[in-house]
Amino acid sequence: MCALVELTHEDVGAEFVSTSVVGVKRTQYIVTDDVGQRFQKRYFDERLGRHETTVSRETVRDELVSRLTHQSSLGGEVGQNDVDGAQDRFCVKPAREL
């Protein structure tokens, strides 16, 4: 079970890392405004490189909920899109560490 909380004492960011047979993909979300409504989305793919965009709080929430609730029908084996769910990681860190 995963839980997301809002921390107001320090700027934090969320990071989701997935591993597949074709490499590692890393997605980071870092707040860019004082009210927490706009986020910088950083996407890193070993094959495709880096891409950055600005997204809304709602988009961040929807994407994280989708990723964190996705379960491969094969458990720890390689599943859809060659993703090994046992290798996926999610963390929340101070924004300066991302």
Side-chain angles (χ1 to χ4, degrees):
M1 178 177 185
C2 295
L4 298 177
V5 297
E6 183 175 342
L7 302 176
T8 57
H9 65 279
E10 181 175 13
D11 289 338
V12 296
E15 180 177 62
F16 185 84
V17 180
S18 62
T19 304
S20 71
V21 295
V22 295
V24 175
K25 296 177 183 177
R26 179 181 314 266
T27 306
Q28 299 174 337
Y29 302 94
I30 302 167
V31 70
T32 60
D33 64 14
D34 292 337
V35 293
Q37 295 301 313
R38 304 299 297 168
F39 289 76
Q40 180 182 41
K41 177 181 176 181
R42 299 176 183 167
Y43 179 75
F44 306 90
D45 184 309
E46 288 182 341
R47 294 179 309 140
L48 302 175
R50 177 182 177 143
H51 174 73
E52 293 185 16
T53 188
T54 301
V55 295
S56 69
R57 179 184 191 96
E58 180 180 3
T59 298
V60 172
R61 183 185 61 240
D62 291 347
E63 288 183 12
L64 288 176
V65 166
S66 176
R67 288 176 182 237
L68 294 173
T69 58
H70 173 75
Q71 293 182 3
S72 170
S73 61
L74 300 174
E77 298 176 20
V78 176
Q80 281 186 324
N81 300 321
D82 299 322
V83 172
D84 180 348
Q87 299 296 319
D88 292 352
R89 294 186 330 257
F90 172 77
C91 66
V92 176
K93 302 180 184 184
R96 69 182 180 285
E97 292 181 17
L98 293 175

